[in-house]
Amino acid sequence: MPFVGGVPRIRHAVRGTLTRAMPRLAREPADSLASLGVAAGGDVVRLRLGPFRPYLVTHPDHVQHVLRGNWTNYVREGMFWRPLNRLLGDGILGDGDTWAGSRKILQQVFTAKYVTSLAGAIAATIDTRVAELDRHASTGRPVDAAREMAAIVNQSVVRVLFGDAISREDSERLITAYHTADAAVSFRLLMPFLPYGIRVPGDRAFLAAVRTVDDVVLPVIRRRAAGTGADGDDVVSALCRAHAADGVDGVDERRVRDDLVSVYAAASETTATTLTWLWPVLDAHPEVADALCDEIADVVGSGPARPEHVPQLRYTMMVLSEVMRLYPAGWLFPRMAVADDVIGGTRVRAGSMVLISPYVTHRLEEFWDRPLEFDPTRFEPGRAERRHRYSYFPFGGGAHQCLGRHLFTMDAPLIVASLLSRYRPVLLGEGPYTPAPTALLRPARRVRLRLRQAAAGAV
Ligand code: HEM
């Protein structure tokens, strides 16, 4: 889900008329796209980013058209995706026949039943990793929220994807490699037209990160494929079984690798980033923090949080849904139009890029009352039915709809409940916390927390 940055001399058009726009787009892409979308009131907006002129599509009807109604015309190809291909390969985050094959396999894996079958193991993994924060709680040493959220999520995602087939050390190498790749690719995302023959800043670090990922992942695939590893309940095993006859001598290692690496990318950083935003939000809304802690105390007590608690953590899920409304981790997903089309009266020519952004659509006044206010009650039971399906789409929609919703809805409340049944995190430092210009919607400032034991009282 790449971020698309701007370059100087940006102009925009509302319904075809070009007007001078803001260099702010390069610095604060999410908020400047939101300003453009809000100003256009849901009309299709055309941007001029140097030689590119992508369309910003924000109205829920138009989003539905691109992601669902005419989705085969809007593919995940083109310059903005290419830089990521060197990490993700050609699989579930691609398009066309290979994507369709991967989708068929993976959607049979990531069912509610499968996630439920692993829920006990996921909860235990989370509890063990969260308990390691005790040393910070006892010394008062601050923690970096993004780092800790990534480490906790990583343990549970690794459990689901790899079972017990990789060591803790290797799983931590994966976090570092993905972080490095994410930061190192930003120059290419900003300048996607530069040929790969030309070295640009970040290339060396990016390629080294890809090698680290392969060093960790390929041996596991080979062991599973050779049948020397346990034929487990993990995703590597499922992928090896599905691709058992696709390669020259059995399992098609490349296909398994590309899907595995893509699912890891789709699952871990998105969940960790969502949980990172939670802390500045709770700090700014103490009444929400109190209600959240009350629910967790009622349902989970002093812990540990278990899968059977999850359905009762209703307010927790409402808070997470509202966090994803204002800060959707996958904030921008570009598509390329295959053939000419018309979206909301605007003609879109074949080969043009179309930008879809939940960050922008979730802020449109036409569809959200007081859109900038954080209010979890929007997600009270029964209220979703009154909304346009595509006014809220943090998990995308249509054929490429996220496959990780069941996993997220198990993982994220367990992590929040596990943390808040043990600790009362106190945010250190001043806001405002605004989005960084990165592929995923991360806070631009470091989110630092001091953890107090929950028993020692609320913030
Ligand atoms: C807060 C957490 C998450 C968010 C915000 C999120 C968001 C998204 C979005 C917006 C898409 C659509 C991308 C597009 O249309 O181009 C997507 C696709 C996907 N997500 Fe998630 N995701 C999350 C968690 C997960 C998890 C836990 C998994 C683990 C299985 C996962 C696996 C995938 C996969 C495999 C796809 C590609 C589906 C396809 O193209 O067919 N995601 N996600």
Side-chain angles (χ1 to χ4, degrees):
M1 286 156 278
F3 138 76
V4 179
V7 290
R9 280 197 323 104
I10 295 153
R11 293 152 142 204
H12 77 280
V14 176
R15 289 218 168 194
T17 352
L18 280 176
T19 48
R20 287 249 161 233
M22 322 157 212
R24 190 184 153 213
L25 192 52
R27 230 177 32 247
E28 296 171 349
D31 283 323
S32 28
L33 283 192
S35 305
L36 289 171
V38 167
D43 280 346
V44 175
V45 176
R46 190 151 197 204
L47 311 171
R48 181 170 281 178
L49 306 170
F52 304 117
R53 300 181 64 194
Y55 295 86
L56 176 64
V57 169
T58 59
H59 190 291
D61 284 345
H62 304 162
V63 172
Q64 178 163 2
H65 176 81
V66 172
L67 293 184
R68 187 148 172 249
N70 197 18
W71 71 275
T72 49
N73 192 47
Y74 293 96
V75 293
R76 288 196 298 207
E77 275 172 26
M79 299 196 159
F80 295 124
W81 287 95
R82 214 168 297 143
L84 294 173
N85 288 353
R86 294 191 297 173
L87 172 64
L88 305 175
D90 183 16
I92 186 66
L93 290 180
D95 225 313
D97 291 346
T98 318
W99 162 77
S102 296
R103 173 101 196 168
K104 203 166 153 209
I105 294 165
L106 287 168
Q107 77 187 358
Q108 282 162 13
V109 174
F110 285 105
T111 57
K113 196 168 154 213
Y114 174 70
V115 172
T116 308
S117 75
L118 288 179
I122 294 174
T125 308
I126 291 170
D127 186 59
T128 308
R129 183 60 186 78
V130 169
E132 289 179 23
L133 293 172
D134 272 353
R135 63 180 191 279
H136 292 274
S138 57
T139 59
R141 197 151 35 95
V143 298
D144 178 325
R147 202 155 74 206
E148 292 306 327
M149 297 307 114
I152 299 166
V153 171
N154 180 58
Q155 288 300 304
S156 65
V157 170
V158 159
R159 169 63 191 84
V160 174
L161 296 190
F162 300 96
D164 53 8
I166 65 173
S167 65
R168 165 101 179 234
E169 194 195 355
D170 272 350
S171 76
E172 283 167 5
R173 284 171 71 206
L174 281 183
I175 309 183
T176 317
Y178 274 84
H179 266 293
T180 307
D182 187 35
V185 80
S186 44
F187 194 93
R188 287 263 174 216
L189 290 175
L190 283 165
M191 307 280 168
F193 43 87
L194 287 179
Y196 285 94
I198 300 176
R199 274 274 157 115
V200 304
D203 271 356
R204 195 186 293 269
F206 185 85
L207 293 175
V210 174
R211 274 196 300 277
T212 304
V213 170
D214 284 346
D215 282 351
V216 172
V217 163
L218 290 176
V220 180
I221 297 173
R222 284 175 195 149
R223 280 203 302 278
R224 287 285 195 260
T228 52
D231 197 13
D233 55 7
D234 51 68
V235 176
V236 195
S237 302
L239 284 169
C240 284
R241 283 193 292 270
H243 290 294
D246 295 349
V248 181
D249 299 312
V251 173
D252 184 340
E253 180 179 299
R254 197 76 216 160
R255 297 261 352 237
V256 176
R257 179 257 175 229
D258 288 352
D259 280 340
L260 206 53
V261 166
S262 300
V263 173
Y264 181 91
S268 53
E269 294 283 308
T270 46
T271 307
T273 304
T274 305
L275 293 173
T276 305
W277 281 107
L278 177 66
W279 310 111
V281 163
L282 292 184
D283 180 69
H285 300 277
E287 70 298 347
V288 175
D290 287 348
L292 185 62
C293 291
D294 287 350
E295 176 176 89
I296 290 167
D298 284 351
V299 173
V300 177
S302 56
R306 291 192 306 270
E308 57 270 29
H309 294 137
V310 171
Q312 297 170 62
L313 294 170
R314 288 189 202 97
Y315 189 70
T316 308
M317 207 52 228
M318 284 161 55
V319 170
L320 288 167
S321 301
E322 179 68 343
V323 169
M324 288 190 286
R325 184 183 70 82
L326 281 175
Y327 305 105
W331 72 278
L332 189 66
F333 18 114
R335 296 287 196 261
M336 192 182 76
V338 176
D340 287 358
D341 193 16
V342 176
I343 309 178
T346 299
R347 195 175 174 73
V348 173
R349 294 205 181 278
S352 311
M353 295 301 295
V354 169
L355 305 179
I356 302 283
S357 171
Y359 187 85
V360 181
T361 301
H362 294 176
R363 280 154 202 262
L364 294 181
E365 269 175 356
E366 289 77 356
F367 304 96
W368 294 95
D369 181 29
R370 303 163 286 112
L372 300 184
E373 270 177 43
F374 184 85
D375 178 5
T377 64
R378 299 176 201 276
F379 292 93
E380 274 168 347
R383 288 184 69 177
E385 289 76 54
R386 283 180 253 146
R387 280 195 291 271
H388 192 303
R389 157 67 183 89
Y390 284 84
S391 61
Y392 182 69
F393 59 104
F395 295 103
H400 288 288
Q401 161 107 14
C402 179
L403 286 173
R405 287 186 80 150
H406 297 304
L407 185 56
F408 177 83
T409 351
M410 178 62 71
D411 240 6
L414 278 174
I415 293 173
V416 175
S418 189
L419 283 164
L420 291 180
S421 61
R422 284 172 187 273
Y423 314 113
R424 288 290 173 276
V426 181
L427 186 75
L428 302 174
E430 296 276 303
Y433 290 87
T434 52
T438 40
L440 286 180
L441 194 86
R442 301 174 193 282
R445 267 170 215 273
R446 250 166 46 132
V447 178
R448 292 170 69 239
L449 302 173
R450 178 162 290 135
L451 302 177
R452 295 201 188 128
Q453 296 290 353
V459 184

